[in-house]
Amino acid sequence: MNAWVERAVRRDGATDGRTLAELCLLGAIWGASFLFMRVAAADFGAVPLVEVRLALGSLVLLPFLWHHRGVFPLRLWPKLALIGAINSAIPFVLFAWAAQRAPAGIGAIANAMTVLFTALMAFLFFGERIGARRGVALLAGFAGVVVLASGKVAGMSVGAAVLAGASASLFYGLGINLVRRHLTGLPPAAVASATLGVASLLLLPLAIAQWPAARIPMASWLSAAALGVVCTGIAFVMYYRLIARIGASRASTVTYLVPLFGVAWAWLLLDEPLTWSMALAGAIILGSVAASQRSGAR
């Protein structure tokens, strides 16, 4: 799997060691987000946890928004609110809901469908061609989701959690297309702060209504803080720096690493099992993503 990443970041016959290291670090951070959700979701509940994540992520990126505040007129904010709901609030809640019901690795594997759903949403709603090779990759990816949903972990069915994770990835795919078409040319880190911030405001009343009555353990607070500050705020900054240096296509190869790190963190730190259905589904989904990206590059 790492060979795919190395080929994607190769320049003039030599691998850029710095780029590869940053991709691995970003994959490790985003993979850990599923671990943190798994730890904190049971104590916070899905919506309150996501509210903390959105608010902290937006605050970390707020200096970028403040610096570029002049390019965000009032007429743009309804569009930012819509994209914030589609690209952040809804998928974050779906992944947190899944984390309450299935091992962290399940969400991490389902998240890899984002690349395929991005192509599907572009085809369905924005008139982009999908191509035969990418169409086959989509079908293979869906087959991987079916394999993942049909499996059991420690005797527990994970179908509902897989459906939630796949639905979250579908919203990501739609959100990415909306960002491309409506927010292109704006400073990316400032856009991220704006969309996370308005998503936080939209979710705030529901989060207050569902805030847990019981005391939240410190481990869950620390997990929520890491989820917001590191996995959302800092990770966005790293990702946009990578895009600026190596381009969006190369930066997107982090998709291959997130499920691997997500499963590895859960296995190492939470003692969660890796089942044959997870391994097979992960191989099918990531293989389809690789085929889809090769098709897109051509």
Side-chain angles (χ1 to χ4, degrees), residues 54 79-91 194-196 198-199 202:
L54 290 168
K79 193 175 293 184
L80 290 167
L82 175 64
I83 293 174
I86 291 173
N87 201 41
S88 297
I90 296 174
T195 54
L196 290 170
V198 292
L202 291 172

Side-chain angles (χ1 to χ4, degrees), residues 34-35 38-39 102-105 153-154 156 261-275 278:
F34 296 93
L35 165 78
R38 180 64 171 164
V39 171
V153 178
M156 176 179 59
F261 277 108
V263 171
W265 289 134
W267 176 67
L268 285 170
L269 301 178
L270 298 180
D271 199 28
E272 291 185 349
L274 173 61
T275 66
M278 289 171 64

Side-chain angles (χ1 to χ4, degrees), residues 83 87 174-184 191 195:
I83 293 174
N87 201 41
L174 178 58
I176 289 168
N177 279 284
L178 291 173
V179 169
R180 285 175 180 172
R181 281 155 181 81
H182 298 289
L183 302 179
T184 298
V191 167
T195 54

Side-chain angles (χ1 to χ4, degrees), residues 85-161:
I86 291 173
N87 201 41
S88 297
I90 296 174
F92 283 5
V93 168
L94 286 168
F95 274 126
W97 185 89
Q100 293 177 279
R101 292 161 175 81
I106 295 294
I109 294 170
N111 181 70
M113 287 293 294
T114 297
V115 173
L116 302 177
F117 279 129
T118 300
L120 180 61
M121 293 297 102
F123 170 70
L124 291 177
F125 298 112
F126 302 102
E128 291 190 12
R129 293 181 60 188
I130 199 167
R133 187 184 184 95
R134 184 167 285 181
V136 172
L138 276 166
L139 293 175
F142 294 145
V145 170
V146 172
V147 171
L148 187 63
S150 64
K152 291 188 175 183
V153 178
M156 176 179 59
S157 176
V158 296

